Amino acid sequence: QVQLVESGGGLVQAGGSLRLSCACSGRTVSGYVMGWFRQAPGKEREFVSAVSWSGGNTYYADSVKGRFTISRGNAKNTVYLQMNSLKPEDTAVYYCAAHNSGNYYSPSGYGYWGQGTQVTVSS
């Protein structure tokens, strides 16, 4: 079993920045793609970003490209999401996930999920 724990969420004004962290514990399997998803009230969970095991390949939703940056820690069991130029529409619960199989951009491709961390951007 893999356990993921997010941290770093909070309340920030539009134009501000936050850095989210995701720590992986329990059984660690090499080769996992790690991703970030978000879900606002009444909306479906949507893809935000993903990073390969090596950290060499990154992927971003069009809505956050140029503003958000995903990266891995040295031990490969931590993933970060640096969020700059935040907008009110970025408000959501942000989830860290470990990819299992299939499409990197779909929640169904991820087998392990964190509890989520709230990000609120005020106007």
Side-chain angles (χ1 to χ4, degrees):
Q1 185 71 29
V2 176
Q3 184 177 20
L4 306 175
V5 180
E6 303 96 334
S7 62
L11 175 64
V12 65
Q13 291 184 320
S17 298
L18 285 173
R19 191 190 195 196
L20 305 183
S21 298
C22 175
C24 180
S25 62
R27 180 173 293 179
T28 301
V29 180
S30 64
Y32 277 178
V33 169
M34 300 295 296
W36 286 96
F37 290 78
R38 66 187 183 187
Q39 188 167 22
K43 296 184 178 180
E44 296 182 351
R45 190 167 299 186
E46 66 174 352
F47 172 80
V48 176
S49 186
V51 60
S52 64
W53 176 256
S54 68
N57 296 317
T58 57
Y59 311 90
Y60 298 94
D62 289 341
S63 60
V64 306
K65 194 172 184 179
R67 300 187 297 122
F68 291 10
T69 303
I70 191 170
S71 62
R72 281 187 177 271
N74 292 333
K76 308 299 182 184
N77 60 354
T78 306
V79 64
Y80 305 98
L81 185 68
Q82 178 67 46
M83 305 185 295
N84 298 326
S85 301
L86 284 162
K87 305 174 181 179
E89 50 263 45
D90 294 319
T91 296
V93 176
Y94 283 70
Y95 297 91
C96 179
H99 184 259
N100 181 260
S101 64
N103 198 315
Y104 297 156
Y105 305 97
S106 174
S108 64
Y110 292 76
Y112 302 97
W113 295 84
Q115 83 289 350
T117 185
Q118 177 70 47
V119 172
T120 302
V121 184
S122 64
S123 60

mmCIF file of all heavy atoms in Angstrom, residues 35-62:
data_model
loop_
_atom_site.group_PDB
_atom_site.id
_atom_site.type_symbol
_atom_site.label_atom_id
_atom_site.label_comp_id
_atom_site.label_asym_id
_atom_site.label_seq_id
_atom_site.Cartn_x
_atom_site.Cartn_y
_atom_site.Cartn_z
ATOM 1 N N GLY A 35 1.289 12.707 -10.287
ATOM 2 C CA GLY A 35 0.450 13.751 -10.840
ATOM 3 C C GLY A 35 -0.254 14.583 -9.787
ATOM 4 O O GLY A 35 -0.374 14.184 -8.625
ATOM 5 N N TRP A 36 -0.687 15.751 -10.211
ATOM 6 C CA TRP A 36 -1.538 16.623 -9.408
ATOM 7 C C TRP A 36 -2.862 16.818 -10.126
ATOM 8 O O TRP A 36 -2.891 17.085 -11.335
ATOM 9 C CB TRP A 36 -0.894 17.986 -9.167
ATOM 10 C CG TRP A 36 0.235 17.982 -8.188
ATOM 11 C CD1 TRP A 36 1.565 17.896 -8.453
ATOM 12 C CD2 TRP A 36 0.117 18.082 -6.766
ATOM 13 N NE1 TRP A 36 2.292 17.931 -7.291
ATOM 14 C CE2 TRP A 36 1.435 18.041 -6.239
ATOM 15 C CE3 TRP A 36 -0.957 18.196 -5.885
ATOM 16 C CZ2 TRP A 36 1.690 18.110 -4.868
ATOM 17 C CZ3 TRP A 36 -0.702 18.265 -4.528
ATOM 18 C CH2 TRP A 36 0.602 18.225 -4.028
ATOM 19 N N PHE A 37 -3.951 16.672 -9.391
ATOM 20 C CA PHE A 37 -5.295 16.931 -9.878
ATOM 21 C C PHE A 37 -5.970 17.914 -8.939
ATOM 22 O O PHE A 37 -5.522 18.123 -7.807
ATOM 23 C CB PHE A 37 -6.110 15.640 -9.960
ATOM 24 C CG PHE A 37 -5.654 14.699 -11.037
ATOM 25 C CD1 PHE A 37 -4.530 13.908 -10.858
ATOM 26 C CD2 PHE A 37 -6.345 14.600 -12.233
ATOM 27 C CE1 PHE A 37 -4.099 13.042 -11.846
ATOM 28 C CE2 PHE A 37 -5.930 13.728 -13.230
ATOM 29 C CZ PHE A 37 -4.810 12.958 -13.034
ATOM 30 N N ARG A 38 -7.058 18.522 -9.396
ATOM 31 C CA ARG A 38 -7.814 19.423 -8.540
ATOM 32 C C ARG A 38 -9.298 19.254 -8.787
ATOM 33 O O ARG A 38 -9.729 18.851 -9.863
ATOM 34 C CB ARG A 38 -7.394 20.879 -8.751
ATOM 35 C CG ARG A 38 -7.728 21.447 -10.125
ATOM 36 C CD ARG A 38 -7.116 22.834 -10.282
ATOM 37 N NE ARG A 38 -7.462 23.446 -11.554
ATOM 38 C CZ ARG A 38 -6.951 24.593 -11.986
ATOM 39 N NH1 ARG A 38 -6.068 25.254 -11.238
ATOM 40 N NH2 ARG A 38 -7.327 25.084 -13.163
ATOM 41 N N GLN A 39 -10.086 19.577 -7.774
ATOM 42 C CA GLN A 39 -11.527 19.461 -7.871
ATOM 43 C C GLN A 39 -12.191 20.600 -7.110
ATOM 44 O O GLN A 39 -11.984 20.755 -5.909
ATOM 45 C CB GLN A 39 -12.008 18.112 -7.323
ATOM 46 C CG GLN A 39 -13.474 17.844 -7.558
ATOM 47 C CD GLN A 39 -13.839 16.394 -7.302
ATOM 48 O OE1 GLN A 39 -13.135 15.685 -6.582
ATOM 49 N NE2 GLN A 39 -14.932 15.941 -7.891
ATOM 50 N N ALA A 40 -12.983 21.383 -7.831
ATOM 51 C CA ALA A 40 -13.765 22.453 -7.242
ATOM 52 C C ALA A 40 -15.161 21.941 -6.927
ATOM 53 O O ALA A 40 -15.622 20.965 -7.531
ATOM 54 C CB ALA A 40 -13.840 23.640 -8.194
ATOM 55 N N PRO A 41 -15.873 22.575 -5.986
ATOM 56 C CA PRO A 41 -17.227 22.127 -5.644
ATOM 57 C C PRO A 41 -18.143 22.068 -6.859
ATOM 58 O O PRO A 41 -18.205 23.016 -7.647
ATOM 59 C CB PRO A 41 -17.703 23.183 -4.650
ATOM 60 C CG PRO A 41 -16.450 23.705 -4.034
ATOM 61 C CD PRO A 41 -15.441 23.697 -5.148
ATOM 62 N N GLY A 42 -18.822 20.945 -7.031
ATOM 63 C CA GLY A 42 -19.750 20.774 -8.130
ATOM 64 C C GLY A 42 -19.115 20.465 -9.468
ATOM 65 O O GLY A 42 -19.828 20.358 -10.472
ATOM 66 N N LYS A 43 -17.797 20.331 -9.517
ATOM 67 C CA LYS A 43 -17.098 20.063 -10.763
ATOM 68 C C LYS A 43 -16.357 18.732 -10.698
ATOM 69 O O LYS A 43 -16.093 18.201 -9.623
ATOM 70 C CB LYS A 43 -16.118 21.187 -11.089
ATOM 71 C CG LYS A 43 -16.773 22.535 -11.335
ATOM 72 C CD LYS A 43 -15.748 23.569 -11.756
ATOM 73 C CE LYS A 43 -16.399 24.905 -12.050
ATOM 74 N NZ LYS A 43 -15.404 25.925 -12.469
ATOM 75 N N GLU A 44 -16.024 18.199 -11.878
ATOM 76 C CA GLU A 44 -15.264 16.961 -11.957
ATOM 77 C C GLU A 44 -13.802 17.203 -11.604
ATOM 78 O O GLU A 44 -13.281 18.302 -11.751
ATOM 79 C CB GLU A 44 -15.360 16.368 -13.364
ATOM 80 C CG GLU A 44 -16.758 15.938 -13.774
ATOM 81 C CD GLU A 44 -16.789 15.323 -15.155
ATOM 82 O OE1 GLU A 44 -15.766 15.380 -15.858
ATOM 83 O OE2 GLU A 44 -17.834 14.769 -15.528
ATOM 84 N N ARG A 45 -13.154 16.146 -11.137
ATOM 85 C CA ARG A 45 -11.730 16.214 -10.875
ATOM 86 C C ARG A 45 -10.981 16.366 -12.198
ATOM 87 O O ARG A 45 -11.235 15.633 -13.152
ATOM 88 C CB ARG A 45 -11.270 14.955 -10.142
ATOM 89 C CG ARG A 45 -9.852 15.024 -9.612
ATOM 90 C CD ARG A 45 -9.580 13.884 -8.633
ATOM 91 N NE ARG A 45 -10.461 13.955 -7.474
ATOM 92 C CZ ARG A 45 -10.361 13.154 -6.422
ATOM 93 N NH1 ARG A 45 -9.420 12.225 -6.372
ATOM 94 N NH2 ARG A 45 -11.217 13.282 -5.411
ATOM 95 N N GLU A 46 -10.064 17.331 -12.263
ATOM 96 C CA GLU A 46 -9.368 17.613 -13.498
ATOM 97 C C GLU A 46 -7.855 17.533 -13.336
ATOM 98 O O GLU A 46 -7.303 17.814 -12.270
ATOM 99 C CB GLU A 46 -9.759 18.993 -14.048
ATOM 100 C CG GLU A 46 -9.325 20.161 -13.185
ATOM 101 C CD GLU A 46 -9.596 21.508 -13.832
ATOM 102 O OE1 GLU A 46 -9.976 21.540 -15.021
ATOM 103 O OE2 GLU A 46 -9.436 22.535 -13.147
ATOM 104 N N PHE A 47 -7.210 17.176 -14.432
ATOM 105 C CA PHE A 47 -5.762 17.079 -14.474
ATOM 106 C C PHE A 47 -5.118 18.452 -14.366
ATOM 107 O O PHE A 47 -5.582 19.413 -14.973
ATOM 108 C CB PHE A 47 -5.336 16.411 -15.788
ATOM 109 C CG PHE A 47 -3.853 16.433 -16.039
ATOM 110 C CD1 PHE A 47 -3.010 15.527 -15.420
ATOM 111 C CD2 PHE A 47 -3.307 17.361 -16.909
ATOM 112 C CE1 PHE A 47 -1.647 15.543 -15.655
ATOM 113 C CE2 PHE A 47 -1.951 17.386 -17.160
ATOM 114 C CZ PHE A 47 -1.121 16.475 -16.522
ATOM 115 N N VAL A 48 -4.041 18.543 -13.592
ATOM 116 C CA VAL A 48 -3.278 19.778 -13.460
ATOM 117 C C VAL A 48 -1.878 19.609 -14.038
ATOM 118 O O VAL A 48 -1.460 20.364 -14.911
ATOM 119 C CB VAL A 48 -3.184 20.239 -11.993
ATOM 120 C CG1 VAL A 48 -2.301 21.479 -11.878
ATOM 121 C CG2 VAL A 48 -4.567 20.509 -11.425
ATOM 122 N N SER A 49 -1.151 18.588 -13.543
ATOM 123 C CA SER A 49 0.230 18.402 -13.963
ATOM 124 C C SER A 49 0.695 16.997 -13.620
ATOM 125 O O SER A 49 0.126 16.337 -12.760
ATOM 126 C CB SER A 49 1.135 19.440 -13.277
ATOM 127 O OG SER A 49 2.456 19.377 -13.770
ATOM 128 N N ALA A 50 1.753 16.528 -14.288
ATOM 129 C CA ALA A 50 2.357 15.233 -14.002
ATOM 130 C C ALA A 50 3.846 15.288 -14.294
ATOM 131 O O ALA A 50 4.302 16.097 -15.107
ATOM 132 C CB ALA A 50 1.697 14.127 -14.820
ATOM 133 N N VAL A 51 4.610 14.409 -13.627
ATOM 134 C CA VAL A 51 6.053 14.345 -13.811
ATOM 135 C C VAL A 51 6.497 12.888 -13.835
ATOM 136 O O VAL A 51 5.987 12.059 -13.075
ATOM 137 C CB VAL A 51 6.798 15.138 -12.706
ATOM 138 C CG1 VAL A 51 6.494 14.578 -11.322
ATOM 139 C CG2 VAL A 51 8.302 15.158 -12.959
ATOM 140 N N SER A 52 7.453 12.558 -14.709
ATOM 141 C CA SER A 52 7.966 11.203 -14.815
ATOM 142 C C SER A 52 8.836 10.848 -13.615
ATOM 143 O O SER A 52 9.201 11.708 -12.810
ATOM 144 C CB SER A 52 8.769 11.050 -16.106
ATOM 145 O OG SER A 52 9.924 11.878 -16.086
ATOM 146 N N TRP A 53 9.193 9.559 -13.485
ATOM 147 C CA TRP A 53 10.015 9.098 -12.372
ATOM 148 C C TRP A 53 11.352 9.827 -12.309
ATOM 149 O O TRP A 53 11.815 10.204 -11.225
ATOM 150 C CB TRP A 53 10.248 7.596 -12.478
ATOM 151 C CG TRP A 53 11.155 7.056 -11.415
ATOM 152 C CD1 TRP A 53 12.459 6.688 -11.561
ATOM 153 C CD2 TRP A 53 10.817 6.832 -10.040
ATOM 154 N NE1 TRP A 53 12.967 6.242 -10.365
ATOM 155 C CE2 TRP A 53 11.980 6.316 -9.411
ATOM 156 C CE3 TRP A 53 9.669 7.008 -9.286
ATOM 157 C CZ2 TRP A 53 12.007 5.987 -8.062
ATOM 158 C CZ3 TRP A 53 9.695 6.677 -7.939
ATOM 159 C CH2 TRP A 53 10.856 6.172 -7.349
ATOM 160 N N SER A 54 11.962 10.034 -13.451
ATOM 161 C CA SER A 54 13.255 10.701 -13.494
ATOM 162 C C SER A 54 13.149 12.206 -13.285
ATOM 163 O O SER A 54 14.145 12.862 -12.970
ATOM 164 C CB SER A 54 13.944 10.428 -14.828
ATOM 165 O OG SER A 54 13.260 11.054 -15.893
ATOM 166 N N GLY A 55 11.965 12.746 -13.481
ATOM 167 C CA GLY A 55 11.777 14.180 -13.421
ATOM 168 C C GLY A 55 12.053 14.886 -14.733
ATOM 169 O O GLY A 55 11.882 16.103 -14.829
ATOM 170 N N GLY A 56 12.456 14.134 -15.739
ATOM 171 C CA GLY A 56 12.831 14.725 -17.006
ATOM 172 C C GLY A 56 11.672 15.103 -17.905
ATOM 173 O O GLY A 56 11.831 15.930 -18.803
ATOM 174 N N ASN A 57 10.526 14.488 -17.683
ATOM 175 C CA ASN A 57 9.346 14.760 -18.496
ATOM 176 C C ASN A 57 8.247 15.338 -17.627
ATOM 177 O O ASN A 57 7.895 14.761 -16.597
ATOM 178 C CB ASN A 57 8.852 13.483 -19.176
ATOM 179 C CG ASN A 57 9.864 12.931 -20.165
ATOM 180 O OD1 ASN A 57 10.457 13.676 -20.932
ATOM 181 N ND2 ASN A 57 10.058 11.613 -20.146
ATOM 182 N N THR A 58 7.716 16.469 -18.035
ATOM 183 C CA THR A 58 6.627 17.118 -17.312
ATOM 184 C C THR A 58 5.475 17.417 -18.253
ATOM 185 O O THR A 58 5.661 17.622 -19.455
ATOM 186 C CB THR A 58 7.094 18.418 -16.643
ATOM 187 O OG1 THR A 58 7.635 19.300 -17.638
ATOM 188 C CG2 THR A 58 8.169 18.126 -15.601
ATOM 189 N N TYR A 59 4.277 17.469 -17.681
ATOM 190 C CA TYR A 59 3.057 17.681 -18.452
ATOM 191 C C TYR A 59 2.157 18.640 -17.682
ATOM 192 O O TYR A 59 2.061 18.567 -16.456
ATOM 193 C CB TYR A 59 2.336 16.354 -18.690
ATOM 194 C CG TYR A 59 3.245 15.269 -19.219
ATOM 195 C CD1 TYR A 59 3.922 14.423 -18.348
ATOM 196 C CD2 TYR A 59 3.438 15.103 -20.581
ATOM 197 C CE1 TYR A 59 4.772 13.437 -18.823
ATOM 198 C CE2 TYR A 59 4.289 14.117 -21.062
ATOM 199 C CZ TYR A 59 4.954 13.289 -20.183
ATOM 200 O OH TYR A 59 5.798 12.310 -20.657
ATOM 201 N N TYR A 60 1.485 19.535 -18.417
ATOM 202 C CA TYR A 60 0.655 20.548 -17.784
ATOM 203 C C TYR A 60 -0.658 20.729 -18.528
ATOM 204 O O TYR A 60 -0.709 20.648 -19.755
ATOM 205 C CB TYR A 60 1.369 21.898 -17.748
ATOM 206 C CG TYR A 60 2.647 21.896 -16.946
ATOM 207 C CD1 TYR A 60 3.871 21.679 -17.558
ATOM 208 C CD2 TYR A 60 2.626 22.120 -15.575
ATOM 209 C CE1 TYR A 60 5.045 21.668 -16.829
ATOM 210 C CE2 TYR A 60 3.794 22.120 -14.838
ATOM 211 C CZ TYR A 60 5.003 21.888 -15.468
ATOM 212 O OH TYR A 60 6.171 21.888 -14.734
ATOM 213 N N ALA A 61 -1.709 20.980 -17.773
ATOM 214 C CA ALA A 61 -2.960 21.407 -18.376
ATOM 215 C C ALA A 61 -2.775 22.795 -18.972
ATOM 216 O O ALA A 61 -1.997 23.607 -18.463
ATOM 217 C CB ALA A 61 -4.079 21.426 -17.337
ATOM 218 N N ASP A 62 -3.491 23.077 -20.059
ATOM 219 C CA ASP A 62 -3.365 24.379 -20.709
ATOM 220 C C ASP A 62 -3.687 25.528 -19.758
ATOM 221 O O ASP A 62 -3.103 26.612 -19.864
ATOM 222 C CB ASP A 62 -4.288 24.449 -21.927
ATOM 223 C CG ASP A 62 -3.813 23.581 -23.076
ATOM 224 O OD1 ASP A 62 -2.623 23.209 -23.094
ATOM 225 O OD2 ASP A 62 -4.637 23.284 -23.966
#
